[in-house]
Amino acid sequence: MAVLDSIRDMQDRTLEQMKTAQEQFVSMNERVAEAWLSAVPATSSPFAEYLPKPTEMIDTYFGFWSQVHEANKDCAARIAAAWERASEDAQA
């Protein structure tokens, strides 16, 4: 199990680095958006009330891909289980 522990440790460090970079990117975007919106006059957009908000689109997009990910994970786990059972039967 030492190999899996090393892999998990590397994954944890990778995620932490990714989250740090993302936080810096979000912070920069917040500052730019605030500066931009305070400098540019407000305008109306035709049909804006019919369009989803960006955050709604993100929720929809990632919600769908979360379902795809779970379905793929389940499929892969079932295939691996079938091969494990076949291997155990062959060794018995």
Side-chain angles (χ1 to χ4, degrees):
M1 286 300 207
V3 172
L4 283 179
D5 291 338
S6 295
I7 290 171
R8 287 184 186 116
D9 183 52
M10 181 185 65
Q11 289 172 335
D12 289 343
R13 285 182 284 143
T14 300
L15 284 172
E16 202 54 46
Q17 290 173 346
M18 182 187 77
K19 288 177 183 180
T20 298
Q22 288 174 335
E23 190 56 40
Q24 293 169 349
F25 192 67
V26 168
S27 178
M28 186 258 324
N29 272 271
E30 289 170 341
R31 290 190 309 272
V32 170
E34 185 178 318
W36 176 266
L37 293 175
S38 65
V40 176
T43 60
S44 63
S45 299
F47 309 109
E49 68 271 11
Y50 301 110
L51 299 174
K53 294 181 178 183
T55 52
E56 293 171 326
M57 289 299 299
I58 290 167
D59 287 342
T60 299
Y61 175 83
F62 282 99
F64 170 72
W65 283 111
S66 176
Q67 292 174 357
V68 169
H69 174 76
E70 284 302 314
N72 284 335
K73 179 181 174 185
D74 179 62
C75 181
R78 290 172 46 214
I79 290 169
W83 282 96
E84 283 179 9
R85 281 191 305 274
S87 175
E88 290 168 1
D89 291 346
Q91 292 175 5

